Amino acid sequence: MNIVKLSYKNIATKPLQTFLTVLILSLSIGLLLGVKQLNKVFESQLQQSLNGVDMVVGAKGSPLQLVLSAVLHIDNPTGNISFTEAKKIAKGRYIEEAIPISIGDNYKGYKLVGTTLGFIDLHKTSLENGKVFEKPFEVILGNAVAKNLNLKVGDTFNSAHGMIENALESHDENPLKVVGILKSTQNVIDRLIVTNLESIWHMHEHENSSEVHNHEDDEITALLVKFSNKMGLLRLPRMINKDTQFQAALPKYELDKLFQFTAIATKSITWIAFAILFVSGISMFVSLYRMVKERAKELALVRTYGASRNTLIKLVFSQGFIIGMFSYIIGVLLAFFGIQAVFTSVKNTYKQQIYLLEFPQDILELLLFIFGIIIIATLMAIRPIFKMDISKILSNEN
Amino acid sequence: MLQTANLSFSYLNSASFHFPNIELQNNEHLLILGESGIGKTTLLHLLAGILTPQKGEIVINDKTITNLNSKKLDIYRGKNIGLVFQNTTVISSLSVYENLEARLYFSKVSSQKKVIDDILQQLDLTEVKNQKPNTLSTGQLQRLGIALGVIHRPKIILADEPTSSLDDKNCDLVIKLLKSQAKKSDANLIIITHDQRIKNSFDNTLVL
C-alpha cells in the first residue's frame, strides 16, 4: 500500500466524474498542442521554402497567388510574361540574381519547372546521383518525386499539361528523360521535376506547330529575384508595378499577410482550448474538493493511523497528479495522431512531406503548464484539511 | 503503563471537563463508564492524542505525549495507539486486506503479509479479505474495526462504545475479542461506554 495506490483506488470509485475530467482536460491539451505545432510547422515550412527569394516578378493578378505559385508551388500561376522583357528587369540595378521559371505541366501531380541551374543552387541542394540537364527534355527529379514514383536515372515519362494529374493532355511526343536526382532538402524542391526552359517551350511549341517559332515570343511564368542590397527592396517593386505590365510581389510581405489572416483562426482555437483547459482545471478542483469533503471521515481516520496533515495533502495532490498526467498522456497522443493525420492529408494533396518541429519542447512546456494547474487545483482543494477537526468528525460520525 | 494527571479540556464557548487521574500498569484494562455528555469521548480523544488538553499531562511508558509536537504526536499515535469505534470507520475504496495494509502503511509499520493473514484468521475475516467493506455484514465490519485497532500491536487500545448497538451475545463476543487482542499485543485496553452490561467483565472501572 502507498499513497499513489490509495489515490488510484479513490479515483476508481468515481469513474464518471474522473472520465469527464480526463476527457475535457485531454481534449484541451490535444487542441493546444496540435494548434501550436501545426502553426509552427506550417510557418517554418513556408518561410524555409522562400529560400532567400526577395521578389517575384510575374503576370498581373493576385500577388499572394504569384508567390504561392512561383515560390511555394501550391497554386496556379497568374499567367505568363515575356522572357525578353523579364531579362531586361533581370539586368537592372540592385539585382544580384534573377532566375526565370516556367510552370504549367505536371507528371502524376508533381509539377514540372522549366528553369536554369541557378534554381537548384537557390534551393541549396545538389545531385544525389546522375548529372544536370544539358539538353531539352532532360530532367532532374526532386528527391520525393524519385522516391514516391520509383523513378531512377535513365527512366523516361510523359508529362501532362496543367497543374494536376491529367492523362488527356499528355505531351506524348516529347518524353522526358531522367538524368539526375537531387538530395533531399525537406523543402519544396523535393516535390518538383526540374528541366531547362527550352523543354517547356518546345513542348508547347508543338501545340502550336503551324506557327513559326520566334524566340522573341518565349514566355516564362515568373522571375525569382534576389536583391544585391536593400535599395532594391525600396525601389524595384514600386518601379515594376508602376512602370511595367508585370507585377512584383514580395514573398515575405505576402506570407506575413497570410499568417496574420490565419493567425486569427489559430488564435481563436488556442483561446477556445485555453477556455476548455480552464474549465477542466475547475473540474479537477471540484473533483478533488469533493473527495476531501466526502471522505472527511476517512481522512480523519487516516490521521488517527498516524498520517500527518502533509500526508493528506500528498494524497490529494497524488489524485490530482494521476488525473492530470493521465489526461496529459491522452492529450499528447491525440495531438500527435491528429497532427500526423493533417500531415498525411497535406502530403496527399500537395505532395509535400512535413515533419514535427520542436515537438518534445512543446510537450515539455505544456507538461509544466499542466503541473501548474494540478498544483493550483490541489492548493484550492486542500483548504478543508487545514480546518479539519478530527475529534469532531469522528465524534459526530460515531 | 499509562498515567494521567489533572487533565482538563474545554470546547469553545462550552463548559470545561476535568478528568480524574488514571494510572494503569502494563496489560491492565480499564472500563470508563458514564452518561452521555459527561466527556467520555473527549477523554478518549485526549488519551489518543487527537485532542490536546488545556491542562494536565498524559504519560505512556514514561513518555509525556502531551509535550510532543504535532509531527511527533502523529507518529506516536500511529505506532502506539489503537482506536476501535462504535460504528466501524474504514477506507471505503479499499478491500478488507488493503484496509489493513493501509493501517500499517500510515502507521509506518512494515507491512508483512503474515501479520495481516494472522489477524484475518484470528478474527475470522480470511474469506472476505478481498471484499469491499460495503459488502460485509455488521459483525464482519465490527471485527474488521477491531483488526484495524490492533494489527500494529499498539501499547494502548482505546475503544469507544464498542458494544452499544450489539445484542448480548455479540456484546460478549466483542469484549472477549478485544481482551484477547490486547493480551496478544501486550497492551492496555481502555473501553469507554455507557453500556452497563459489560461492567462485570472488568475489575478496574472508573465512573465519570
Coordinates of all heavy atoms in Angstrom, one line a residue, chain A residues 228-297:
Chain A
S228 N 20.6 42.8 -54.6 CA 22.0 42.9 -54.2 C 22.2 43.8 -52.9 O 23.1 43.7 -52.2 CB 22.8 43.5 -55.3 OG 22.3 44.7 -55.7
N229 N 21.2 44.7 -52.7 CA 21.2 45.5 -51.5 C 19.8 45.9 -51.2 O 18.8 45.7 -52.0 CB 22.2 46.7 -51.6 CG 21.8 47.6 -52.7 OD1 20.7 48.0 -52.8 ND2 22.8 48.0 -53.5
K230 N 19.6 46.6 -50.0 CA 18.3 46.9 -49.6 C 17.6 48.0 -50.4 O 16.3 48.1 -50.4 CB 18.3 47.4 -48.1 CG 18.5 46.2 -47.2 CD 18.6 46.7 -45.7 CE 18.8 45.4 -44.9 NZ 19.0 45.8 -43.5
M231 N 18.3 48.7 -51.2 CA 17.7 49.7 -52.1 C 16.8 49.0 -53.1 O 15.8 49.6 -53.5 CB 18.8 50.5 -52.8 CG 19.6 51.5 -52.0 SD 18.5 52.6 -51.2 CE 18.0 53.6 -52.6
G232 N 17.1 47.8 -53.4 CA 16.3 47.0 -54.4 C 14.9 46.9 -53.8 O 13.9 47.0 -54.5
L233 N 14.8 46.6 -52.5 CA 13.5 46.4 -51.9 C 12.7 47.6 -51.9 O 11.5 47.6 -52.1 CB 13.7 45.9 -50.4 CG 12.5 45.7 -49.6 CD1 11.7 44.5 -50.1 CD2 12.9 45.5 -48.1
L234 N 13.4 48.8 -51.7 CA 12.7 50.0 -51.7 C 12.2 50.5 -53.1 O 11.1 51.1 -53.2 CB 13.6 51.1 -51.1 CG 13.9 50.9 -49.6 CD1 15.0 51.9 -49.1 CD2 12.7 51.1 -48.7
R235 N 13.0 50.2 -54.1 CA 12.7 50.8 -55.4 C 12.1 49.9 -56.4 O 11.2 50.3 -57.1 CB 14.0 51.4 -56.0 CG 14.6 52.5 -55.1 CD 15.6 53.3 -55.9 NE 16.0 54.5 -55.2 CZ 16.9 55.3 -55.6 NH1 17.6 55.1 -56.7 NH2 17.2 56.4 -54.9
L236 N 12.7 48.7 -56.5 CA 12.2 47.8 -57.6 C 10.7 47.4 -57.6 O 10.1 47.6 -58.7 CB 13.1 46.6 -57.6 CG 14.5 46.7 -58.3 CD1 15.3 45.5 -58.2 CD2 14.3 47.2 -59.8
P237 N 10.2 47.0 -56.5 CA 8.8 46.6 -56.6 C 7.9 47.7 -57.0 O 7.0 47.5 -57.9 CB 8.4 46.2 -55.1 CG 9.7 45.8 -54.5 CD 10.7 46.7 -55.2
R238 N 8.1 48.9 -56.5 CA 7.3 50.1 -56.9 C 7.4 50.4 -58.4 O 6.5 50.6 -59.1 CB 7.6 51.3 -56.0 CG 6.6 52.4 -56.2 CD 7.1 53.6 -55.4 NE 7.2 53.4 -54.0 CZ 7.7 54.3 -53.1 NH1 8.2 55.4 -53.6 NH2 7.7 54.0 -51.8
M239 N 8.7 50.4 -58.8 CA 9.0 50.7 -60.2 C 8.4 49.7 -61.1 O 7.7 50.1 -62.1 CB 10.6 50.7 -60.3 CG 11.1 51.2 -61.7 SD 11.2 49.9 -62.9 CE 12.6 49.0 -62.3
I240 N 8.5 48.4 -60.8 CA 7.9 47.4 -61.7 C 6.4 47.5 -61.8 O 5.8 47.4 -62.8 CB 8.4 46.0 -61.3 CG1 9.9 45.8 -61.5 CG2 7.6 44.9 -62.0 CD1 10.5 44.6 -60.8
N241 N 5.8 47.6 -60.6 CA 4.3 47.7 -60.5 C 3.8 48.9 -61.2 O 2.7 48.9 -61.8 CB 3.8 47.7 -59.1 CG 4.0 46.3 -58.5 OD1 3.9 45.3 -59.2 ND2 4.3 46.2 -57.2
K242 N 4.6 50.0 -61.2 CA 4.1 51.3 -61.8 C 4.4 51.4 -63.3 O 3.6 51.8 -64.1 CB 4.8 52.4 -61.0 CG 4.2 53.8 -61.3 CD 4.9 54.8 -60.5 CE 4.6 56.2 -61.1 NZ 5.5 57.2 -60.6
D243 N 5.7 51.0 -63.6 CA 6.1 51.3 -65.0 C 6.1 50.1 -66.0 O 6.4 50.3 -67.2 CB 7.6 51.8 -64.9 CG 7.7 53.0 -64.1 OD1 6.6 53.7 -63.9 OD2 8.8 53.3 -63.5
T244 N 5.8 48.9 -65.5 CA 5.8 47.8 -66.5 C 4.4 47.1 -66.5 O 3.6 47.4 -65.6 CB 6.8 46.7 -66.1 OG1 6.4 46.1 -64.9 CG2 8.2 47.3 -65.9
Q245 N 4.2 46.2 -67.4 CA 3.0 45.4 -67.4 C 3.0 44.2 -66.5 O 2.1 43.4 -66.5 CB 2.7 45.0 -68.9 CG 3.8 44.2 -69.4 CD 3.7 43.9 -70.9 OE1 2.6 44.1 -71.5 NE2 4.7 43.5 -71.6
F246 N 4.1 44.1 -65.8 CA 4.3 43.0 -64.8 C 3.9 43.4 -63.4 O 3.7 44.6 -63.2 CB 5.7 42.5 -64.7 CG 6.3 42.1 -66.1 CD1 7.7 42.3 -66.3 CD2 5.5 41.6 -67.1 CE1 8.2 42.0 -67.5 CE2 6.1 41.3 -68.3 CZ 7.5 41.5 -68.6
Q247 N 3.8 42.4 -62.6 CA 3.6 42.7 -61.1 C 4.8 42.2 -60.3 O 5.3 41.1 -60.7 CB 2.3 42.2 -60.6 CG 2.3 40.8 -60.1 CD 1.1 40.4 -59.2 OE1 0.8 41.2 -58.3 NE2 0.6 39.3 -59.5
A248 N 5.2 42.9 -59.3 CA 6.3 42.4 -58.4 C 5.6 42.2 -57.1 O 4.9 43.0 -56.6 CB 7.3 43.5 -58.3
A249 N 5.9 41.0 -56.6 CA 5.4 40.6 -55.2 C 6.5 40.3 -54.3 O 7.5 39.7 -54.8 CB 4.4 39.4 -55.4
L250 N 6.4 40.7 -53.1 CA 7.4 40.4 -52.1 C 7.0 39.2 -51.2 O 6.0 39.3 -50.5 CB 7.6 41.6 -51.2 CG 8.1 42.9 -51.9 CD1 8.1 44.1 -51.0 CD2 9.5 42.7 -52.5
P251 N 7.6 38.1 -51.4 CA 7.2 36.8 -50.7 C 7.0 37.0 -49.2 O 6.0 36.5 -48.6 CB 8.3 35.8 -51.0 CG 8.8 36.3 -52.3 CD 8.8 37.8 -52.2
K252 N 8.0 37.6 -48.6 CA 7.9 37.7 -47.1 C 6.7 38.5 -46.7 O 6.0 38.2 -45.7 CB 9.2 38.4 -46.6 CG 10.3 37.4 -46.2 CD 11.4 38.0 -45.4 CE 12.4 36.9 -45.1 NZ 13.7 37.5 -44.6
Y253 N 6.5 39.6 -47.4 CA 5.4 40.5 -47.1 C 4.0 39.8 -47.3 O 3.1 39.8 -46.5 CB 5.5 41.8 -48.0 CG 4.3 42.7 -47.8 CD1 4.2 43.5 -46.7 CD2 3.3 42.8 -48.8 CE1 3.1 44.4 -46.6 CE2 2.3 43.6 -48.7 CZ 2.1 44.4 -47.6 OH 1.1 45.3 -47.5
E254 N 4.0 39.1 -48.4 CA 2.7 38.4 -48.7 C 2.4 37.2 -47.7 O 1.3 37.0 -47.3 CB 2.8 37.8 -50.2 CG 2.8 38.8 -51.3 CD 1.7 39.8 -51.2 OE1 0.5 39.3 -50.9 OE2 1.9 40.9 -51.6
L255 N 3.5 36.5 -47.4 CA 3.3 35.4 -46.4 C 3.0 36.0 -45.0 O 2.2 35.4 -44.3 CB 4.5 34.5 -46.3 CG 4.7 33.6 -47.5 CD1 5.9 32.7 -47.3 CD2 3.5 32.8 -47.8
D256 N 3.6 37.1 -44.6 CA 3.2 37.7 -43.4 C 1.7 38.1 -43.3 O 1.1 37.9 -42.3 CB 4.1 39.0 -43.1 CG 5.4 38.6 -42.6 OD1 5.6 37.5 -42.2 OD2 6.3 39.5 -42.6
K257 N 1.3 38.6 -44.5 CA -0.2 38.9 -44.5 C -1.0 37.6 -44.4 O -2.0 37.6 -43.7 CB -0.5 39.6 -45.9 CG -0.2 41.1 -45.9 CD -1.1 41.8 -47.0 CE -0.8 41.3 -48.4 NZ -1.4 42.0 -49.4
L258 N -0.5 36.6 -45.0 CA -1.3 35.3 -45.0 C -1.3 34.8 -43.5 O -2.3 34.3 -43.0 CB -0.6 34.3 -45.9 CG -1.2 32.9 -45.9 CD1 -2.6 33.0 -46.6 CD2 -0.4 31.9 -46.7
F259 N -0.1 34.9 -42.9 CA 0.0 34.4 -41.5 C -0.9 35.2 -40.5 O -1.5 34.7 -39.6 CB 1.4 34.5 -41.0 CG 2.3 33.5 -41.6 CD1 3.6 33.8 -41.9 CD2 1.8 32.2 -42.0 CE1 4.5 32.8 -42.5 CE2 2.7 31.3 -42.6 CZ 4.0 31.6 -42.9
Q260 N -1.0 36.5 -40.8 CA -1.8 37.4 -40.0 C -3.3 37.0 -40.1 O -4.0 36.9 -39.2 CB -1.7 38.9 -40.4 CG -0.5 39.6 -39.8 CD -0.3 40.9 -40.4 OE1 -1.2 41.5 -41.0 NE2 0.9 41.4 -40.3
F261 N -3.6 36.6 -41.3 CA -5.0 36.1 -41.6 C -5.3 34.8 -40.9 O -6.3 34.6 -40.2 CB -5.2 36.0 -43.1 CG -6.6 35.6 -43.5 CD1 -7.6 36.6 -43.3 CD2 -6.9 34.4 -44.0 CE1 -8.9 36.2 -43.6 CE2 -8.2 34.1 -44.3 CZ -9.2 35.0 -44.1
T262 N -4.3 33.8 -41.1 CA -4.5 32.5 -40.5 C -4.4 32.6 -39.0 O -4.9 31.8 -38.2 CB -3.5 31.5 -41.0 OG1 -2.2 32.0 -40.8 CG2 -3.8 31.2 -42.5
A263 N -3.6 33.6 -38.5 CA -3.4 33.7 -37.0 C -4.7 34.0 -36.3 O -4.9 33.5 -35.2 CB -2.4 34.8 -36.8
I264 N -5.6 34.6 -37.0 CA -6.9 34.9 -36.4 C -7.6 33.6 -36.0 O -8.1 33.3 -34.9 CB -7.9 35.7 -37.3 CG1 -7.2 37.1 -37.5 CG2 -9.3 35.9 -36.7 CD1 -7.9 37.9 -38.6
A265 N -7.5 32.6 -37.0 CA -8.2 31.3 -36.7 C -7.4 30.5 -35.7 O -8.0 30.0 -34.8 CB -8.2 30.5 -38.0
T266 N -6.1 30.5 -35.8 CA -5.3 29.7 -34.8 C -5.4 30.3 -33.4 O -5.5 29.6 -32.4 CB -3.8 29.6 -35.2 OG1 -3.3 30.9 -35.4 CG2 -3.7 28.8 -36.5
K267 N -5.4 31.7 -33.4 CA -5.6 32.3 -32.0 C -6.9 32.0 -31.4 O -7.0 31.7 -30.2 CB -5.4 33.8 -32.1 CG -3.9 34.2 -32.0 CD -3.8 35.7 -32.0 CE -2.3 36.1 -32.0 NZ -2.1 37.5 -32.3
S268 N -8.0 32.0 -32.3 CA -9.3 31.7 -31.8 C -9.3 30.3 -31.2 O -9.9 30.0 -30.1 CB -10.3 31.8 -32.9 OG -10.3 33.1 -33.5
I269 N -8.8 29.3 -32.0 CA -8.8 27.9 -31.5 C -8.0 27.8 -30.2 O -8.3 27.1 -29.3 CB -8.2 27.0 -32.6 CG1 -9.1 27.0 -33.8 CG2 -8.1 25.5 -32.1 CD1 -8.6 26.3 -35.0
T270 N -6.8 28.5 -30.2 CA -6.0 28.5 -29.0 C -6.7 29.0 -27.7 O -6.7 28.4 -26.7 CB -4.7 29.3 -29.2 OG1 -4.1 28.8 -30.3 CG2 -3.8 29.2 -28.0
W271 N -7.5 30.1 -27.9 CA -8.2 30.7 -26.8 C -9.4 29.7 -26.4 O -9.6 29.6 -25.2 CB -8.8 32.1 -27.1 CG -7.8 33.1 -27.0 CD1 -7.2 33.9 -28.0 CD2 -7.1 33.5 -25.8 NE1 -6.2 34.7 -27.5 CE2 -6.2 34.5 -26.2 CE3 -7.2 33.2 -24.5 CZ2 -5.3 35.2 -25.2 CZ3 -6.4 33.8 -23.5 CH2 -5.5 34.8 -23.9
I272 N -10.0 29.1 -27.4 CA -11.0 28.1 -27.0 C -10.4 27.0 -26.2 O -10.9 26.5 -25.2 CB -11.7 27.5 -28.3 CG1 -12.5 28.6 -28.9 CG2 -12.6 26.3 -28.0 CD1 -13.0 28.3 -30.3
A273 N -9.2 26.5 -26.6 CA -8.5 25.4 -25.9 C -8.2 25.9 -24.5 O -8.3 25.1 -23.6 CB -7.3 25.0 -26.7
F274 N -7.7 27.1 -24.4 CA -7.4 27.6 -23.0 C -8.7 27.7 -22.1 O -8.6 27.4 -20.9 CB -6.8 29.0 -23.1 CG -5.3 29.0 -23.2 CD1 -4.6 29.5 -24.3 CD2 -4.5 28.4 -22.2 CE1 -3.2 29.4 -24.4 CE2 -3.1 28.3 -22.3 CZ -2.5 28.8 -23.4
A275 N -9.8 28.1 -22.8 CA -11.1 28.2 -22.0 C -11.4 26.8 -21.5 O -11.8 26.6 -20.4 CB -12.2 28.7 -22.9
I276 N -11.3 25.8 -22.4 CA -11.6 24.4 -22.0 C -10.6 23.9 -20.9 O -11.0 23.3 -20.0 CB -11.5 23.4 -23.2 CG1 -12.5 23.8 -24.3 CG2 -11.9 22.0 -22.8 CD1 -12.4 23.0 -25.6
L277 N -9.4 24.3 -21.1 CA -8.4 24.0 -20.1 C -8.7 24.6 -18.7 O -8.6 23.9 -17.7 CB -7.0 24.5 -20.5 CG -5.8 23.9 -19.8 CD1 -5.7 22.4 -20.0 CD2 -4.5 24.6 -20.2
F278 N -9.2 25.8 -18.7 CA -9.6 26.5 -17.5 C -10.8 25.7 -16.9 O -10.8 25.5 -15.7 CB -10.1 27.9 -17.8 CG -10.5 28.7 -16.7 CD1 -9.6 29.1 -15.7 CD2 -11.8 29.1 -16.5 CE1 -10.0 29.9 -14.6 CE2 -12.3 29.8 -15.4 CZ -11.4 30.2 -14.4
V279 N -11.8 25.4 -17.7 CA -12.9 24.6 -17.2 C -12.5 23.3 -16.6 O -12.9 22.8 -15.6 CB -14.0 24.4 -18.3 CG1 -15.1 23.5 -17.8 CG2 -14.6 25.7 -18.7
S280 N -11.5 22.6 -17.3 CA -11.1 21.3 -16.8 C -10.3 21.5 -15.5 O -10.3 20.6 -14.7 CB -10.2 20.6 -17.9 OG -9.2 21.4 -18.4
G281 N -9.6 22.6 -15.4 CA -8.9 22.9 -14.1 C -9.9 23.0 -13.0 O -9.7 22.5 -11.9
I282 N -11.0 23.7 -13.3 CA -12.1 23.8 -12.3 C -12.7 22.5 -12.0 O -12.9 22.1 -10.8 CB -13.2 24.8 -12.8 CG1 -12.6 26.2 -12.8 CG2 -14.4 24.8 -11.9 CD1 -13.5 27.2 -13.4
S283 N -12.8 21.7 -13.0 CA -13.4 20.3 -12.9 C -12.5 19.5 -12.0 O -13.0 18.7 -11.1 CB -13.6 19.7 -14.2 OG -13.9 18.4 -14.1
M284 N -11.2 19.6 -12.2 CA -10.2 18.9 -11.4 C -10.3 19.3 -9.9 O -10.4 18.5 -9.0 CB -8.8 19.1 -11.9 CG -7.8 18.2 -11.1 SD -6.1 18.6 -11.5 CE -6.0 17.7 -13.0
F285 N -10.4 20.7 -9.7 CA -10.5 21.2 -8.4 C -11.8 20.7 -7.7 O -11.7 20.2 -6.6 CB -10.6 22.8 -8.4 CG -11.3 23.4 -7.3 CD1 -10.7 23.3 -6.0 CD2 -12.5 24.0 -7.4 CE1 -11.4 23.9 -4.9 CE2 -13.2 24.6 -6.3 CZ -12.6 24.5 -5.1
V286 N -12.9 20.7 -8.4 CA -14.2 20.2 -7.9 C -14.1 18.8 -7.5 O -14.5 18.3 -6.4 CB -15.4 20.4 -8.9 CG1 -16.6 19.7 -8.4 CG2 -15.6 21.9 -9.1
S287 N -13.4 18.0 -8.4 CA -13.3 16.6 -8.1 C -12.5 16.3 -6.8 O -12.8 15.5 -6.0 CB -12.6 16.0 -9.3 OG -12.1 14.7 -9.1
L288 N -11.4 17.1 -6.7 CA -10.5 16.9 -5.5 C -11.2 17.4 -4.3 O -11.1 16.8 -3.2 CB -9.2 17.6 -5.7 CG -8.3 17.2 -6.9 CD1 -7.0 18.0 -7.0 CD2 -7.9 15.7 -6.7
Y289 N -11.9 18.6 -4.4 CA -12.6 19.2 -3.2 C -13.7 18.3 -2.7 O -13.8 18.1 -1.5 CB -13.1 20.5 -3.7 CG -13.7 21.3 -2.5 CD1 -12.9 22.0 -1.6 CD2 -15.1 21.4 -2.3 CE1 -13.4 22.8 -0.6 CE2 -15.6 22.1 -1.3 CZ -14.8 22.8 -0.4 OH -15.3 23.5 0.6
R290 N -14.4 17.7 -3.7 CA -15.5 16.8 -3.3 C -14.9 15.6 -2.6 O -15.5 15.1 -1.6 CB -16.3 16.3 -4.5 CG -17.3 17.4 -4.9 CD -18.1 16.9 -6.1 NE -18.9 15.7 -5.7 CZ -19.8 15.2 -6.6 NH1 -19.9 15.6 -7.8 NH2 -20.5 14.1 -6.2
M291 N -13.8 15.1 -3.1 CA -13.1 14.0 -2.4 C -12.8 14.3 -0.9 O -13.1 13.5 0.0 CB -11.8 13.6 -3.2 CG -11.2 12.3 -2.7 SD -10.2 12.4 -1.3 CE -8.8 13.3 -1.9
V292 N -12.2 15.5 -0.8 CA -11.8 15.9 0.6 C -13.1 16.0 1.5 O -13.0 15.6 2.6 CB -11.1 17.3 0.6 CG1 -10.8 17.8 1.9 CG2 -9.7 17.1 -0.2
K293 N -14.1 16.6 1.0 CA -15.3 16.8 1.8 C -16.1 15.4 2.0 O -16.4 15.1 3.2 CB -16.3 17.7 1.1 CG -15.8 19.2 1.0 CD -15.6 19.8 2.3 CE -16.8 20.5 2.8 NZ -16.5 21.3 4.0
E294 N -16.2 14.7 0.9 CA -17.0 13.4 1.1 C -16.2 12.4 1.9 O -16.8 11.5 2.5 CB -17.3 12.9 -0.3 CG -18.4 13.6 -1.0 CD -18.6 13.1 -2.5 OE1 -17.9 12.2 -2.9 OE2 -19.4 13.8 -3.2
R295 N -14.9 12.4 1.8 CA -14.1 11.4 2.5 C -13.5 12.0 3.8 O -12.5 11.5 4.2 CB -13.0 10.9 1.6 CG -13.6 10.1 0.4 CD -12.5 9.5 -0.4 NE -13.0 8.9 -1.6 CZ -13.4 7.6 -1.7 NH1 -13.3 6.9 -0.6 NH2 -13.9 7.2 -2.8
A296 N -14.1 13.0 4.3 CA -13.6 13.7 5.5 C -13.4 12.7 6.7 O -12.4 12.7 7.4 CB -14.5 14.8 6.0
K297 N -14.4 11.8 6.8 CA -14.3 10.8 7.9 C -13.1 9.8 7.7 O -12.4 9.5 8.6 CB -15.6 10.0 8.0 CG -15.7 9.2 9.2 CD -17.1 8.5 9.1 CE -17.2 7.3 10.1 NZ -18.4 6.5 10.0

